[in-house]
Amino acid sequence: MAKRTDEVSQAPRDPAAAGLSRMLTLEQVQDILNVKSSLVYALVRSGELPAGQFGGRGIWRGPRE
């Protein structure tokens, strides 16, 4: 019989959720960079800030890097 451990894996079970954990919402980017939301959206539109829409609600997210 296999031993049971009480340790819980830190990795998310859903691979898609693992990818989104490395992404930030544009609101989080705004807070980190300490800029207005209009500048963040302008950077996304110009291509200087890579971002995309994910999920059913189309939430914009950018890479953590």
Side-chain angles (χ1 to χ4, degrees), residues 23 26 43-44 47-52 61-63:
M23 305 290 278
L26 295 188
L43 291 171
V44 169
E48 292 183 58
L49 180 64
R61 293 185 181 266

Side-chain angles (χ1 to χ4, degrees), residues 5-52:
T5 62
D6 292 330
E7 295 179 25
V8 177
S9 173
Q10 296 296 328
R13 294 180 190 262
D14 182 11
L20 289 179
S21 67
R22 291 179 284 179
M23 305 290 278
L24 300 173
T25 64
L26 295 188
E27 183 177 278
Q28 291 169 323
V29 171
Q30 173 188 343
D31 291 341
I32 291 169
L33 298 178
N34 196 27
V35 296
K36 294 183 178 183
S37 62
S38 58
L39 177 58
V40 174
Y41 282 98
L43 291 171
V44 169
R45 281 192 303 272
S46 71
E48 292 183 58
L49 180 64

